[in-house]
Amino acid sequence: MSERKKAVVIGLGHQALEDHLPGLADSQFARLAAVCDTDPDKVAAQAQLYQVPGFTDIRFLLEGVRPDFAIVAVPHHAGRGVIETCAAAGVHVMKEKPFATGPAEAAELAALCSKTGVELMVTVQRRFHPVYTAAVQLLEQIGQPYLVEGRYTFHCPDPAAGWRGQASLAGGGALMDMGYHLIDLLIWYLGLPDRILADTSTAALPDADYDAEDTALVHLAYDSGLYGSLLISRSTGPKTEMLTVTGPRGAVVIERGRVRRLTPDGQLIESLTRELTRPSAATAQIDCFCRILDGERTNPSGPSAHVAHAAFLAAAYTSQNTRTPADPKEYLL
């Protein structure tokens, strides 16, 4: 890879500022060529900081810069339009999760990428953390899993604020947004469940007007006999992220910076801890994407994979309304 690829960042919210822009700065295969956002003040600040052109119109950005790929981190309801615009220009896309707001949109975007030859990768960065990849090997040591328990919680002072509080814009609340990480790990490690039953709540702020859930409890079952639950909340402290998988030979406990393998009675067998000072997972995923574009790697997080994530979410939200378990495979379009 003789020349670094030109990348642009579309959407200058928290995720771009904390992960994608620093990740590009450390990349060995890509360089930041421009930034874009609908807020001219955000554009001006980041354009000055990184000494690159700034745009408030995506079409002008793509025509003026002609990037190799775009990192897209926009509100959920705007993602489809940005992907369609990039695909029309032949620009590859790294898309901040979620891939889509529903199964139909996911299927249509997957078909669009296939038709246009645009490579798309969803930025599920935990797949690029050594802790999470090490868990794959440790899970082989515990036998056939029979229990999985996940928890991802933190306290957001105002879960009703902005577009994230409106289901029509976000596609869903805590489960669609932060829960996407646990869903991705679950599918990666264990596959798509056979039955899902979910309960959701918007009770954290009784006087606020919002309908995108602040809390979700999802019950899971597999035909293999594996069962469990996920608790996701953006209104409950302390901040916790954990996935525990239990089998007859012990358990694997996966946290943000640590993975442990335990005996059946809970004694530690081995552990791996990782300390971070830079957004290295973002850089690793960007470099991986560059290798994918050069045909050196296959895409582990492409559209076809994330149709399953959309099906999981659709089954969860459907079961909440019907009060009966739903099979996510019925939503694989």
Side-chain angles (χ1 to χ4, degrees):
M1 198 176 296
S2 57
E3 185 175 344
R4 291 198 296 172
K5 299 187 183 301
K6 291 194 296 183
V8 296
V9 174
I10 300 174
L12 297 175
H14 174 80
Q15 206 68 48
L17 301 187
E18 294 295 319
D19 281 327
H20 304 313
L21 287 170
L24 270 172
D26 281 345
S27 172
Q28 58 181 319
F29 299 134
R31 63 179 178 86
L32 180 65
V35 294
C36 182
D37 195 277
T38 56
D39 186 331
D41 292 334
K42 289 183 178 180
V43 170
Q46 297 308 312
Q48 181 178 13
L49 178 62
Y50 287 96
Q51 292 296 291
V52 294
F55 296 82
T56 56
D57 187 288
I58 295 173
R59 289 178 176 83
F60 289 162
L61 164 73
L62 300 179
E63 292 172 3
V65 177
R66 298 189 178 278
D68 295 297
F69 68 95
I71 299 178
V72 177
V74 297
H76 301 170
H77 63 281
R80 176 175 184 157
V82 175
I83 293 172
E84 290 173 342
T85 301
C86 288
V91 174
H92 304 291
V93 176
M94 280 187 65
K95 169 72 168 64
E96 182 59 42
K97 54 80 185 163
F99 171 48
T101 57
E105 182 179 287
E108 290 166 6
L109 289 177
L112 174 66
C113 292
S114 178
K115 179 181 178 181
T116 59
V118 165
E119 194 73 56
L120 185 145
M121 187 182 203
V122 180
T123 60
V124 281
Q125 295 177 12
R126 283 154 181 77
R127 291 180 180 243
F128 294 85
H129 277 276
V131 161
Y132 294 95
T133 56
V136 176
Q137 296 175 323
L138 296 183
L139 286 167
E140 297 176 353
Q141 308 300 314
I142 64 171
Q144 178 64 43
Y146 62 83
L147 178 65
V148 57
E149 301 168 276
R151 183 182 180 93
Y152 191 175
T153 62
F154 69 88
H155 177 68
C156 172
D158 187 4
W163 60 268
R164 293 183 187 276
Q166 306 305 315
S168 61
L169 299 179
L175 182 59
M176 169 74 74
D177 194 5
M178 53 191 282
Y180 204 90
H181 295 299
L182 282 183
I183 293 168
D184 182 65
L185 293 178
L186 188 81
I187 294 174
W188 180 21
Y189 295 147
L190 303 169
L192 193 64
D194 295 295
R195 291 173 301 285
I196 292 174
L197 178 62
D199 282 297
T200 65
S201 171
T202 54
L205 294 178
D207 298 326
D209 181 18
Y210 67 108
D211 63 351
E213 75 279 357
D214 53 65
T215 303
L217 178 61
V218 184
H219 300 278
L220 317 162
Y222 293 76
D223 289 342
S224 66
L226 171 64
Y227 67 97
S229 64
L230 306 177
L231 173 63
I232 300 101
S233 178
R234 54 186 174 138
S235 61
T236 303
K239 186 172 184 179
T240 305
E241 182 179 345
M242 180 181 295
L243 186 71
T244 302
V245 183
T246 303
R249 294 176 55 83
V252 174
V253 182
I254 308 153
E255 299 169 277
R256 188 63 180 267
R258 180 175 64 163
V259 60
R260 293 172 288 153
R261 182 163 69 96
L262 310 177
T263 62
D265 64 350
Q267 300 301 308
L268 180 66
I269 300 174
E270 57 184 323
S271 68
L272 172 67
T273 301
R274 187 188 192 201
E275 295 183 6
L276 292 175
T277 58
R278 291 171 176 261
S280 57
T283 300
Q285 185 158 18
I286 290 167
D287 286 345
C288 177
F289 191 59
C290 291
R291 290 187 170 111
I292 290 168
L293 298 183
D294 283 341
E296 298 175 6
R297 299 278 181 87
T298 57
N299 191 343
S301 187
S304 59
H306 286 267
V307 168
H309 297 59
F312 182 106
L313 288 162
Y317 288 129
T318 298
S319 72
Q320 171 215 338
N321 293 327
T322 63
R323 309 306 306 145
T324 58
D327 182 351
K329 292 186 290 298
E330 295 181 358
Y331 298 88
L332 292 172
L333 302 180

